[in-house]
Amino acid sequence: MTGEFAGRVAIVTGASRGIGAVLAEALAARGGDVVLVARDEARLEDVARRIAAAHGVNVRVVAGDAADAQVAARAVAAAIELGGLDLLANVAGWYPTALVEDTGDEDYARTLASNLGATFAMCRAALPELRARGGAIVNMSSTAARFPTPGLALYGASKCAIEGLTRAMAVEAAPLVRVNAVSAGPTMTETVKALMATDKTGAVAAVTSALPLGRLAKPEEIAEVFLFLASARSSVITGQVIHANCGGHMA
């Protein structure tokens, strides 16, 4: 698919690490220019330098909280400087692991802001430009939205909200903008690798063995689903939540 996104500009949030960084590089490898958004400016700059050197595309960095309306506006402005905006990929997120009664106000506020708040702020800022050019939004959801897991109630609730927002925007933004979401399951990110290295309870192994495919997803595999939903290959798909979780939605 070399050149599939040539001449197109994408904003990717959560682009300093994990699935976001992998997705940004995959878009660049297919010819797309990218605007990277994340809190960690140093890591974001490293990702930007690597992508620009490897793929020769235009890369812009916007450091800050994607839930901040000013950060969202800066990201859209950076995309316009590159020629316009064709794709918004909302990957940024946060998940505390605590039972409801043990969840503090700070984690409550941060989870809603980092998941629903960031997705909403970025979509609100991006939609006028996406409508002008025609384009796509792909949001990040999770199996936790539909399959209750102790300790992930708040995270799951925030992802339920993202799925509802996705469907509503798909109706509001049609026919010029398609809006979909990816429901990702456990994925072999840096965070999960670190957890596996220290996990003495066997929890990660238990989760893995319960998946029909018997393994966790790779960040590159989740990125491929984002790319499909962002591309002309999915031109008749909107308002959908695509499960990309090694069969976890059936387990």
Side-chain angles (χ1 to χ4, degrees):
M1 294 295 175
T2 302
E4 182 179 25
F5 291 95
R8 300 180 67 188
V9 182
I11 295 174
V12 181
T13 71
S16 63
R17 66 189 71 214
I19 295 168
V22 169
L23 174 59
E25 181 149 16
L27 285 162
R30 290 162 173 78
D33 294 327
V34 289
V35 177
L36 312 181
V37 183
R39 293 169 178 264
D40 191 332
E41 185 170 8
R43 289 191 62 134
L44 206 57
E45 292 285 1
D46 286 343
V47 173
R49 281 192 291 269
R50 184 179 73 241
I51 289 176
H55 306 292
V57 299
N58 295 306
V59 184
R60 297 290 184 271
V61 165
V62 176
D65 186 348
D68 185 327
Q70 293 184 345
V71 172
R74 284 166 47 209
V76 173
I80 292 172
E81 287 179 3
L82 293 178
L85 179 60
D86 302 283
L87 167 64
L88 169 62
N90 286 306
V91 184
W94 167 259
Y95 56 96
T97 53
L99 298 176
V100 169
E101 62 265 36
D102 298 324
T103 300
D105 290 344
E106 184 177 345
D107 273 343
Y108 171 81
R110 182 175 179 182
T111 301
L112 291 184
S114 296
N115 297 336
L116 177 60
T119 300
F120 180 83
M122 291 300 308
C123 288
R124 182 176 59 185
L127 272 167
E129 184 66 15
L130 288 170
R131 287 182 190 276
R133 290 169 62 89
I137 296 172
V138 188
N139 298 322
M140 178 68 85
S141 186
S142 165
T143 50
R146 300 191 185 189
F147 302 94
T149 303
L152 290 178
L154 180 57
Y155 176 72
S158 71
K159 293 300 186 178
C160 282
I162 286 173
E163 292 188 6
L165 180 65
T166 296
R167 288 187 288 270
M169 287 194 303
V171 174
E172 287 188 0
L176 298 175
V177 182
R178 296 184 301 107
V179 188
N180 293 289
V182 177
S183 177
T187 304
M188 194 66 76
T189 60
E190 295 174 14
T191 301
V192 172
K193 288 179 181 179
L195 177 62
M196 292 176 71
T198 59
D199 180 26
K200 298 180 181 179
T201 66
V204 176
V207 168
T208 302
S209 64
L211 297 172
L213 294 187
R215 65 178 180 85
L216 303 186
K218 300 174 184 177
E220 293 81 3
E221 293 174 313
I222 303 300
E224 282 295 332
V225 184
F226 270 81
L227 292 170
F228 170 69
L229 291 173
S231 74
R233 290 174 285 143
S234 61
S235 57
V236 296
I237 300 176
T238 194
Q240 299 300 306
V241 178
I242 305 299
H243 291 282
N245 44 45
C246 294
H249 61 290
M250 302 185 293

